[in-house]
Amino acid sequence: MTESGENRRVVVVRRPQGLPVSDDFALQPAPVPGPGVAADVLYISIDPYLRGRLSGRHVTGPIAPGAAMDSELVVRTREDSAVGPAGTLARGFGPWQERVAVPEQALTRLPDGLEPESLAIGVVGMPGLTAYAGVHRILHPAAGETVVVSAAAGPVGATAGQLCKAAGARAVGIAGSAQKRAWLVEEAGFDACIDRRGSVRAGLDATCPNGVDMYFDNVGGSVLQAVMERLAPNARVALCGLMDQYNDDEPPPGPNPALVIRARATLRGLVVYDHEDLRADMERDLGARVRRGTLAFREEVFEGIERAPLAFCRLMAGETFGKTVVRLR
């Protein structure tokens, strides 16, 4: 919120054509928040799936021109509620604006001792739950097996790879910059990392000579095809993200992994909303790893609601590193 008390929000001006640009969005005065628990927004989650919503092709429904962008938020309540007294930190879902009113039943108190609080929408939030569910319910890693993870430097990919490593598997990442690849090996403990912008097939041949036992896919497209060509017998594949097509106006030709994800079919489509029953276990497990310093993570933090469109555009252009958030306070 500005010093004058104005409440601002980010709205969609037009559907992006290809890569989103800042002019696809506008900063406008927000209407008076409606019924619900009044809260100040501390952090806004910036996620790739939002591009699919802007195209009208995501399972959670579209965001139409004229509507406010919305996603997960970390908020500080301004009044007493079921989650605690005024001033309680909570996670909820709402518009990209400075002050919101969130239905009481939609608020979840943040786990104690979480620092920084943005982790509640990062590796101890939906990205962490996505990785946790994919590893425990689809991949089932075993010692000596090899897992490949695409978009491996993001919060989902990096967490999934580290969980497989903790189970005794070899972890091979795929990432698009030298900085990301170095971090994955040196900080996150991956055994190797392949250049996304080089020959992925050659990289897979060099790092996975016995084939790929598990694949956590966050991109689809040519990377998915290259890994599928090298699957070992009884391989498990978690189809999670579609970075290679989020910015396209039309789905690509040929078998589209989006159809598998939507249908939860085997190879197995992973939709995080199906696994809320794992959230408490995930928060305990990953929260403890964060506190012990045994789970590496990265965040890219943009300051101020006016920079939220830029944060989203940079994320979709592959120019951010780790979990992307906007900090308002």
Side-chain angles (χ1 to χ4, degrees):
M1 186 171 61
T2 62
E3 291 183 2
S4 65
E6 180 185 12
N7 188 19
R8 299 174 296 171
R9 65 175 182 169
V10 174
V11 301
V12 181
V13 174
R14 63 191 182 194
R15 290 194 186 278
Q17 301 297 311
L19 280 171
V21 297
S22 292
D23 286 346
D24 294 328
F25 310 92
L27 193 62
Q28 297 181 352
V32 175
V37 179
D40 295 320
V41 177
L42 305 185
Y43 290 95
I44 296 170
S45 180
I46 310 295
D47 303 290
Y49 81 90
L50 295 170
R51 181 63 181 86
R53 294 189 65 200
L54 289 168
S55 298
R57 301 203 310 262
H58 195 266
V59 295
T60 56
I63 304 175
M69 289 291 288
D70 57 22
S71 64
E72 279 203 308
L73 310 170
V74 173
V75 303
R76 179 183 291 112
T77 61
R78 297 168 64 94
E79 56 186 307
D80 296 348
S81 68
V83 297
T88 296
L89 298 179
R91 173 178 52 82
F93 193 92
W96 291 8
Q97 62 188 49
E98 292 165 304
R99 286 184 289 115
V100 294
V102 183
E104 194 167 40
Q105 67 273 17
L107 285 173
T108 303
R109 187 175 183 133
L110 261 59
D112 292 336
L114 199 60
E115 180 64 35
E117 295 93 349
S118 53
L119 292 181
I121 52 175
V123 297
V124 193
M126 187 185 295
L129 179 59
T130 304
Y132 194 85
V135 169
H136 289 284
R137 288 195 163 155
I138 299 176
L139 299 186
H140 304 292
E145 292 188 317
T146 295
V147 63
V148 173
V149 183
S150 57
V156 174
T159 303
Q162 290 178 82
L163 289 174
C164 289
K165 279 287 294 182
R170 290 182 64 247
V172 176
I174 302 174
S177 75
Q179 181 188 20
K180 292 176 181 179
R181 295 193 298 276
W183 179 82
L184 284 163
V185 173
E186 296 168 8
E187 301 293 331
F190 279 58
D191 295 277
C193 196
I194 297 166
D195 185 356
R196 170 68 176 88
R197 296 185 170 90
S199 173
V200 172
R201 284 180 169 84
L204 289 167
D205 289 341
T207 57
C208 308
N210 298 318
V212 176
D213 300 295
M214 298 164 286
Y215 178 44
F216 199 109
D217 180 48
N218 291 303
V219 300
S222 61
V223 174
L224 173 60
Q225 179 65 31
V227 177
M228 295 280 285
E229 292 167 358
R230 290 157 177 79
L231 292 179
N234 302 309
R236 288 86 68 200
V237 178
L239 297 179
C240 180
L242 297 164
M243 281 294 291
D244 267 12
Q245 63 173 272
Y246 282 143
N247 293 315
D248 296 337
D249 293 329
E250 298 293 335
N256 187 348
L259 304 177
V260 179
I261 295 172
R262 185 177 299 120
R264 285 74 158 173
T266 308
L267 307 158
R268 184 172 169 198
L270 172 59
V271 174
V272 66
Y273 312 111
D274 297 338
H275 302 282
E276 279 294 326
D277 61 303
L278 287 177
R279 186 178 287 273
D281 289 342
M282 176 277 296
E283 288 179 345
R284 283 192 295 270
D285 187 345
L286 300 188
R289 293 173 193 261
V290 168
R291 287 188 287 273
R292 291 196 304 266
T294 58
L295 183 70
F297 64 91
R298 284 284 300 250
E299 290 186 322
E300 185 139 345
V301 181
F302 291 76
E303 300 286 349
I305 193 169
E306 62 276 2
R307 300 195 76 205
L310 173 64
F312 180 62
C313 294
R314 289 194 58 189
L315 170 70
M316 297 313 302
E319 296 173 356
T320 59
F321 188 169
K323 171 64 183 176
T324 304
V325 299
V326 176
R327 181 165 55 202
L328 274 60
R329 293 171 174 81

